[in-house]
Amino acid sequence: MKRRTFIGTCATALTVALSAGGALLGMAAAPALAAYPERPITLIVPWGAGGGTDATARIVGSLLEKTLGQPVNVVNRTGGSGVVGHQAIASSAADGYTLGIATVEIGMMHWQGLTQLTHTDYTPLALMNEDPAGLQVAQDSKFASAKDFLEAVRAKPGSMKASGTGQGGIWHLALAGMLDEADIPPQSVPWVPSQGAAPGLQDLVAGGVQVVPCSLPEARSLIDAGRVKSLAIMAKERNPLFPNIPTLKEQTGIDWTMAAWRGIVGPKGLPQDVSDRLIKALKEVYDSSDFKDFMNQRGFGMIYASGDQFSNFMSESNESLGTVMKAVGIAKQ
Amino acid sequence: MILATEMVFQPQVLFTIVMAALFGLFVGAVPGLTATMATALLVPVTFFMEPVPAIGAIVTCSAMAIFAGDIPGTLLRIPGTPASAAYTDEAYAMTRKGQGEVALGANLLFSALGGLFGTAVLIVAAPSLAEVALKFSSFEYFWLACLGLTCATVVGTGSPIKGLVSLLLGLFVATVGLNNPAGVPRFTFGSVDLMGGIDFIPAMIGLFAVSEIFRYVLGMSPDTSGAQTRVGNLFTGWGRMMKQYWRQSIRGNIVGTLIGALPGAGADIASWVSYAVSKRLSRTPEKFGTGHVEGIIESTSSNNAALGGAWVPALVFGIPGDSITAIVIGVLYLKGMNPGPTIFINNPQDIYAVFLIFILANIFMVPAGWAAIKSARLLMRVPRNVLMPTILLFCVVGSFAINNSVFGITIMLVFGLLGFVMEENGFPIAPTILGIVLGPMLEENFVTSMIKSDGSFAGFFERPISGTLGVLTLALWVVPLALFLWRKFSANRVSPHATRG
Amino acid sequence: MRINDAILGAVLLAFALVIGLYAQSFPAIPGQEYGASVFPTWIAIAIGGCSLVLIAGGIRHWAETGAVALASWARSGHHLRALAITIALVILYILVSTPLGFIPTTFITLTVLFGILGVRLALAPVLAILLTMAVHYGFYSLLKVPLPWGVLTPWAW
């Protein structure tokens, strides 16, 4: 009897709580305009814990914490080839307390029709890293240079397979763009989708595929192990950590570059004073020896651009990716 | 080696290990929190640590969590981690028979032994075993996934057709999202969250834990709080079990280490395979499912051995053996212990220190696990009307933490309801989990293999390892069916009426 | 509550048809002979096959079991209401935990849940607040899980 009435009370209480929750929605967004930042900052990472983007975000976060004097919490929001996390960054409150690390995929997914999001949905803060694609083959491969490889493709299209990301992923585009630039149909090297560079490289060693166009830091442990060799990198200059690996242009004359990049962004419409403060802090982070040591040790490339420069950079990356995706037939018409 | 010993036996390092052990036991024992999640949650904590305690914390924590997942599985029929799901029903059946302490004792002993075996293999054979694992291409993985699916039919009890439906539902769930070889959204209905797919951890939490909570709320849980909370002497029968089941233990260890060493397959799958192997090769398969310790011993050995095995390709080539080592590799890089064969040459003291921690963690598991089981017994005395809401809270927080999103809680709730309806109608829920885990592996490896072989099925039999696995799989499917038909046929001839009913 | 296999089979068959047909709308991928629709189609066919077996079996046993065999809880209004409230509480949590914050939402949810499960009224809120704060400390402070602050944002630590 007593229990029965209690359940009734609970049902009422629940209804009240539900409506109270709705009413409180408005209150939560109350802005506080004291000196920014006055409470912890969240940094959203669209990729998993332990990966390269995660590591970059964590080092930036920890150094930013020192510079800004507020905790910076790195939060992983994974899935959907980065769509979920990028969406989370874009739709967070534009108050400077939620930032994110955007990656090259922001210039890719909208072409595929996966999302409406583009780089214009963010406030660009600072570009921190860029890793160009390499052309990796197994150590015992008969190819000694990128030129050999291209000739072999031209001579026998479809005989070699490539892997290293999912269908339409960044390294797929790097390879397709290179072939397109060399006047070889991009479908001449069929793409074998994989869950990232590591499984692709494993398949390269196991003999399942013949080329993996991922970045050098991703291939590093297998290069060091003497299982994989890199023929060329798709960059303007050689990588100081791998001075023996020539650029694609040096070897073949093909002027094609492609790189994965990572930069710190906020949701669109960040207040000017907040973004100024953040850009200043991120520049300090970028210039610190802690950051440089960390990036060198992982073999990650460093590049800096902020504000409008970063915006232009993203816009160029977006255009070039769009061109390749249309050439390969991945872009949605 | 001496250097390594010095590195490990420092108060600060040992303290870290003990704390990580307690954390791992807690995470494993609490339904809703899993070993992989524990490792991911440790990443920020280890970010500023020295390399050896940082890696040590992860090693210890994951080993403890995989063992501790057995505790709630045995006492409440809610597996603490996916790796315990294969034998949860069996262990709970033992509890209901009043043999909870035998089951938990077996879990503890054989988990520790399995962990030590996996470690030994890692130390002695890492480079050569990694060599074998590297030979596996998508053709081989496809057959492995098929073999894994076969386990569902062996493990499941009750109606085989309902087991199959459950498995298929799991396979369907795995197709949701963007994460497929074609990279196109499937069954997402425009939802960004669904593009990310349905993570199997919140799904597992829902199927096992939340459905059990619903049953409790409806007054359906058998009350095991009285007589069954007496855990008694854990060491009961250790000697006897060692003597009687040493073959199962060794087989579990070997299978576990091998599956662990294969990139992409970890403790979860190892535990299923071992349970199925155990049932198939047992002299008394009819006892399986009724509270029989044999299968538990084999698969609990296996899932802990897999942890060590997973480190083999991770250390030697920087290729993850399971979801835990996928995170570990990132931490190794972070700490300047770049994986690769050179890790054994450049910083041997670091790597020996890690090995040493592996051994310590598995030895420490015995007293720590004993304490955990004893305190779990105390917890079981907590009235159920307090315990169950608490478990629900952990389920909610755990489902949230998997991707820091309330979408995980939605998945949990939906699968909680699904699990409840399925159990009510005699559909086993464990095969669904297996389907979700193996679905992507099956599809991806099939599609990529077909691309590589230019659409020819011959590729699945041309490579030596792949051919062997293929023949084995087909034999496993065809032989029992043929035997069944033959028996039915001959029985029909001898006594046409005997098979009716 | 045991539902006759024939009914469950029919539901599964409908489900299989829906996913099977929907899968046909997935785009073909250049360079992939086995595209996005292949696996969902196979799964749909397999589920459809199983559902037919279930329907056949269910009809055979219809006379013994009837359409639905109600379990004891299904006739107990008290138990059904308790289940409905439990589910409602989880839905409440999903909807309001972000705007309202982890601490208030969890406190309310737990108090109500303790209440319907028969924990003493005086004890329920005390237990709820203790548990809430313990979990918050463990996950937010120690493990850095970003549990939302919601309305308590100005006092966040």
Side-chain angles (χ1 to χ4, degrees):
Chain A
M1 179 61 202
K2 200 177 167 194
R3 203 146 159 207
R4 189 158 278 228
T5 42
F6 179 75
I7 289 186
T9 323
C10 284
T12 327
L14 205 63
T15 328
V16 175
L18 263 166
S19 33
L24 285 166
L25 259 166
M27 275 171 61
L33 286 171
Y36 172 86
E38 49 164 14
R39 58 185 169 87
I41 294 170
T42 301
L43 185 65
I44 298 178
V45 181
W47 305 95
T53 308
D54 181 62
T56 311
R58 287 187 193 280
I59 189 72
V60 171
S62 70
L63 296 172
L64 203 55
E65 190 166 313
K66 278 184 208 156
T67 320
L68 293 174
Q70 282 290 347
V72 177
N73 302 317
V74 174
V75 170
N76 302 88
R77 289 294 302 277
T78 61
S81 308
V83 177
V84 174
H86 281 101
Q87 181 70 56
I89 302 169
S91 48
S92 60
D95 54 8
Y97 291 102
T98 310
L99 308 172
I101 183 159
T103 59
V104 65
E105 281 77 12
I106 188 63
M108 294 161 49
M109 46 211 195
H110 68 99
W111 295 109
Q112 282 166 281
L114 298 177
T115 170
Q116 305 288 325
L117 287 176
T118 67
H119 65 97
T120 56
D121 290 301
Y122 301 92
T123 304
L125 296 170
L127 177 65
M128 307 297 270
N129 149 263
E130 186 183 45
D131 289 314
L135 202 59
Q136 277 75 236
V137 294
Q139 187 70 38
D140 53 10
S141 161
K142 56 186 192 288
F143 305 119
S145 74
K147 208 171 176 145
D148 296 352
F149 171 76
L150 285 175
E151 271 162 21
V153 175
R154 214 187 294 268
K156 238 182 131 189
S159 60
M160 277 178 293
K161 312 283 190 302
S163 186
T165 55
Q167 174 80 11
I170 175 71
W171 307 135
H172 182 188
L173 300 183
L175 181 78
M178 178 186 83
L179 295 173
D180 195 42
E181 200 73 19
D183 285 327
I184 302 173
Q187 286 80 6
S188 306
V189 182
W191 188 259
V192 178
S194 75
Q195 303 276 353
L201 287 163
Q202 195 229 324
D203 219 358
L204 183 70
V205 178
V209 297
Q210 286 70 40
V211 58
V212 172
C214 67
S215 75
L216 286 177
E218 289 170 321
R220 191 166 161 195
S221 57
L222 281 167
I223 294 177
D224 290 347
R227 290 316 174 86
V228 164
K229 61 184 179 186
S230 184
L231 301 177
I233 57 170
M234 304 183 197
K236 291 195 174 69
E237 282 152 27
R238 292 189 181 203
N239 183 331
L241 288 174
F242 299 90
N244 298 328
I245 302 173
T247 66
L248 188 65
K249 197 174 175 192
E250 282 176 52
Q251 274 200 346
T252 61
I254 297 169
D255 194 8
W256 169 254
T257 62
M258 178 59 87
W261 54 261
R262 302 171 177 125
I264 308 294
V265 298
K268 192 179 183 170
L270 227 49
Q272 190 65 41
D273 58 325
V274 169
S275 70
D276 287 350
R277 179 78 191 89
L278 283 168
I279 288 173
K280 186 165 161 267
L282 285 166
K283 177 77 180 141
E284 271 174 56
V285 167
Y286 184 84
D287 289 335
S288 68
S289 57
D290 283 346
F291 180 75
K292 298 236 142 84
D293 290 347
F294 176 85
M295 297 299 271
N296 279 331
Q297 182 246 319
R298 291 287 311 251
F300 289 157
M302 277 172 284
I303 177 173
Y304 183 82
S306 65
D308 286 344
Q309 268 177 302
F310 182 21
S311 185
N312 292 338
F313 175 90
M314 286 199 282
S315 167
E316 275 168 37
S317 158
N318 185 51
E319 288 311 312
S320 112
L321 290 164
T323 316
V324 188
M325 291 176 78
K326 280 176 198 146
V328 194
I330 293 167
K332 211 169 191 164
Q333 257 68 52
Chain B
M1 198 65 216
I2 298 161
L3 215 60
T5 320
E6 278 172 12
M7 283 166 86
V8 172
F9 287 94
Q10 283 178 12
Q12 182 228 345
V13 177
L14 291 176
F15 177 75
T16 313
I17 294 176
V18 171
M19 291 313 288
L22 296 179
F23 174 61
L25 285 171
F26 174 77
V27 164
V30 173
L33 311 175
T34 67
T36 310
M37 188 194 300
T39 312
L41 292 177
L42 275 179
V43 171
V45 181
T46 55
F47 200 77
F48 300 105
M49 287 187 190
E50 292 291 309
V52 170
I55 304 294
I58 292 177
V59 168
T60 315
C61 167
S62 55
M64 297 292 175
I66 294 290
F67 152 68
D70 299 344
I71 300 176
T74 308
L75 295 178
L76 293 168
R77 197 171 167 264
I78 305 176
T81 63
S84 305
Y87 50 91
T88 292
D89 279 343
E90 186 88 68
Y92 186 67
M94 289 188 72
T95 304
R96 297 190 70 178
K97 276 165 59 180
Q99 297 175 350
E101 79 276 6
V102 181
L104 287 171
N107 283 332
L108 180 56
L109 171 67
F110 291 100
S111 290
L113 290 177
L116 286 173
F117 182 89
T119 309
V121 173
L122 176 64
I123 297 172
V124 177
S128 44
L129 194 56
E131 218 49 60
V132 178
L134 265 189
K135 291 256 173 5
F136 275 59
S137 174
S138 58
F139 301 99
E140 286 80 15
Y141 279 114
F142 172 76
W143 288 119
L144 277 184
C146 290
L147 275 176
L149 290 183
T150 320
C151 299
T153 58
V154 179
V155 172
T157 48
S159 154
I161 197 84
K162 290 187 171 176
L164 188 57
V165 168
S166 171
L167 180 70
L168 289 166
L169 285 178
L171 289 176
F172 167 72
V173 166
T175 65
V176 175
L178 202 54
N179 193 8
N180 55 68
V184 299
R186 296 194 299 202
F187 306 110
T188 58
F189 308 104
S191 150
V192 170
D193 283 318
L194 278 177
M195 263 189 204
I198 295 178
D199 196 290
F200 94 99
I201 289 178
M204 182 204 78
I205 296 171
L207 285 173
F208 282 102
V210 177
S211 67
E212 191 64 36
I213 291 168
F214 289 159
R215 271 190 290 280
Y216 168 74
V217 170
L218 289 172
M220 290 164 63
S221 294
D223 193 14
T224 49
S225 53
Q228 302 302 336
T229 45
R230 264 197 53 243
V231 176
N233 187 358
L234 278 176
F235 307 105
T236 315
W238 273 24
R240 189 182 53 81
M241 283 193 285
M242 286 282 275
K243 221 164 119 187
Q244 193 176 351
Y245 295 119
W246 61 272
R247 279 188 209 86
Q248 278 78 359
S249 160
I250 289 180
R251 205 161 57 202
N253 289 340
I254 294 172
V255 168
T257 311
L258 290 179
I259 292 182
L262 289 171
D268 315 352
I269 297 176
S271 135
W272 283 95
V273 171
S274 283
Y275 187 82
V277 168
S278 189
K279 189 173 176 185
R280 263 292 154 85
L281 299 182
S282 170
R283 287 203 200 100
T284 53
E286 70 282 356
K287 283 190 185 166
F288 279 67
T290 62
H292 185 50
V293 79
E294 187 177 342
I296 299 179
I297 290 177
E298 186 149 347
S299 51
T300 201
S301 307
S302 177
N303 60 17
N304 277 76
L307 284 180
W311 282 67
V312 167
L315 281 181
V316 182
F317 295 111
I319 289 170
D322 60 4
S323 51
I324 296 172
T325 43
I327 301 170
V328 166
I329 289 171
V331 177
L332 285 171
Y333 271 120
L334 209 65
K335 300 295 167 197
M337 293 169 68
N338 295 1
T342 47
I343 196 172
F344 296 94
I345 301 156
N346 294 348
N347 301 319
Q349 71 280 14
D350 281 355
I351 218 66
Y352 287 129
V354 171
F355 289 161
L356 211 55
I357 291 172
F358 257 106
I359 298 171
L360 275 182
N362 282 298
I363 293 172
F364 184 56
M365 187 187 286
V366 175
W370 179 81
I373 294 170
K374 287 288 170 191
S375 39
R377 196 192 101 191
L378 284 180
L379 273 181
M380 293 294 286
R381 285 206 199 137
V382 172
R384 288 298 162 101
N385 58 7
V386 175
L387 188 63
M388 285 301 185
T390 310
I391 291 179
L392 183 61
L393 173 61
F394 280 112
C395 291
V396 164
V397 175
S399 302
F400 174 82
I402 206 72
N403 203 13
N404 301 312
S405 148
V406 289
F407 183 64
I409 310 172
T410 313
I411 297 179
M412 175 200 92
L413 180 62
V414 171
F415 279 83
L417 291 168
L418 179 70
F420 177 76
V421 174
M422 284 170 68
E423 288 259 289
E424 281 288 278
N425 289 290
F427 290 87
I429 48 180
T432 306
I433 295 295
L434 194 67
I436 304 179
V437 174
L438 289 178
M441 190 170 160
L442 193 69
E443 177 173 18
E444 191 181 289
N445 289 305
F446 176 75
V447 173
T448 56
S449 299
M450 291 315 269
I451 297 175
K452 285 183 214 162
S453 66
D454 298 310
S456 144
F457 283 95
F460 288 108
F461 296 97
E462 273 168 359
R463 299 165 58 97
I465 304 177
S466 173
T468 317
L469 283 170
V471 170
L472 187 72
T473 312
L474 294 181
L476 268 177
W477 288 351
V478 173
V479 171
L481 193 72
L483 276 178
F484 172 76
L485 291 175
W486 185 74
R487 266 194 220 126
K488 204 165 180 174
F489 179 67
S490 47
N492 267 336
R493 256 204 327 210
V494 176
S495 66
H497 305 290
T499 50
R500 294 287 301 169
Chain C
M1 190 169 66
R2 220 181 150 90
I3 304 166
N4 187 289
D5 283 353
I7 300 175
L8 291 171
V11 173
L12 281 170
L13 185 63
F15 177 69
L17 277 174
V18 170
I19 60 172
L21 290 175
Y22 188 70
Q24 305 316 308
S25 70
F26 298 147
I29 298 301
Q32 290 190 12
E33 197 181 332
Y34 294 85
S37 62
V38 175
F39 258 67
T41 310
W42 288 357
I43 294 169
I45 292 171
I47 294 181
C50 291
S51 70
L52 294 179
V53 178
L54 281 176
I55 292 174
I59 290 172
R60 230 181 303 141
H61 296 286
W62 192 279
E64 302 147 43
T65 58
V68 176
L70 286 183
S72 61
W73 56 261
R75 291 195 206 92
S76 149
H78 166 71
H79 280 127
L80 281 178
R81 222 170 314 157
L83 178 70
I85 293 179
T86 309
I87 295 170
L89 284 170
V90 179
I91 296 175
L92 174 88
Y93 186 97
I94 294 169
L95 293 179
V96 309
S97 66
T98 311
L100 190 61
F102 172 80
I103 294 174
T105 319
T106 309
F107 171 69
I108 295 169
T109 317
L110 279 180
T111 310
V112 177
L113 200 55
F114 283 143
I116 57 166
L117 294 177
V119 176
R120 272 189 296 129
L121 274 183
L123 193 60
V126 180
L127 272 179
I129 192 72
L130 285 177
L131 255 175
T132 305
M133 296 319 289
V135 167
H136 187 267
Y137 177 74
F139 284 86
Y140 179 83
S141 304
L142 294 181
L143 294 171
K144 313 280 179 209
V145 173
L147 297 172
W149 280 100
V151 290
L152 297 181
T153 303
W155 298 278
W157 62 81

